[in-house]
Amino acid sequence: MDLNKKSYLHKLRVRYAETDQMGVVHHGNYPTFLEEARTAWLRDMGISYKKMEESGIGLPITSVSVNYKKSALYDDVLTIKTTLSKIPNVRLEFDYEIYNEAQELLATAKTELVFINMISKRPTKAPDYFLEALEKFEN
């Protein structure tokens, strides 16, 4: 599996409610941006978070880190590059790069998620349909 082909670009516009009085995005909004980008990545792969949960598999975050380089501002259109950094087994790891419209790197981030059985709440291996969709996924 070629991890270089496991990236996805997602665009979002910064809303006023996500900024402080100076029009700068509050740092607490970045995990939400990452979630939106990651969910879009899954959807583009043909995987619905909702259907995954309905089938009994959850995917909670166990770790998130963000390194801020430059401020994102109100009404900026951000491009979030979401890249699978490791072939999943029980854990799913992503790297992110967030750019503004001038292609300036605003932040880098990492998240780690764990596949869990929704009934037992215990870690479980990635479902076969997830791995199959990942094999077919192309940029």
Side-chain angles (χ1 to χ4, degrees):
M1 185 179 305
D2 182 3
L3 287 180
N4 291 326
K5 293 185 179 180
K6 305 307 178 201
S7 293
Y8 181 77
L9 297 178
H10 180 70
K11 291 187 182 290
L12 62 86
R13 184 176 298 274
V14 174
R15 298 173 295 188
Y16 187 77
E18 296 163 331
T19 65
D20 62 19
Q21 190 174 10
M22 297 174 293
V24 174
V25 172
H26 185 273
H27 68 276
N29 287 300
Y30 284 81
T32 302
F33 295 167
L34 303 178
E35 180 179 7
E36 182 177 330
R38 185 176 57 254
T39 302
W41 182 91
L42 287 167
R43 193 176 299 113
D44 192 61
M45 247 181 33
I47 295 178
S48 160
Y49 227 102
K50 183 178 180 179
K51 288 183 182 176
M52 188 166 47
E53 288 180 344
E54 288 171 350
S55 76
I57 300 294
L59 201 54
I61 288 188
T62 57
S63 176
V64 61
S65 66
V66 182
N67 294 306
Y68 305 97
K69 313 274 185 205
K70 194 170 183 176
S71 296
L73 305 173
Y74 169 64
D75 210 35
D76 278 354
V77 174
L78 305 180
T79 299
I80 304 173
K81 181 180 181 184
T82 304
T83 304
L84 182 67
S85 59
K86 185 176 166 187
I87 297 170
N89 184 5
V90 173
R91 296 193 187 313
L92 189 57
E93 297 177 21
F94 292 97
D95 292 319
Y96 306 85
E97 296 172 356
I98 302 175
Y99 296 90
N100 62 15
E101 292 166 285
Q103 298 304 308
E104 297 170 304
L105 180 64
L106 304 180
T108 59
K110 291 183 171 291
T111 58
E112 181 179 286
L113 300 91
V114 175
F115 291 97
I116 64 163
N117 177 299
M118 298 281 284
I119 295 170
S120 70
K121 305 295 187 209
R122 304 286 304 158
T124 188
K125 288 188 175 185
D128 289 340
Y129 65 83
F130 186 95
L131 298 173
E132 289 166 8
L134 191 57
E135 280 290 331
K136 296 175 187 174
F137 184 65
E138 295 293 329
N139 282 343

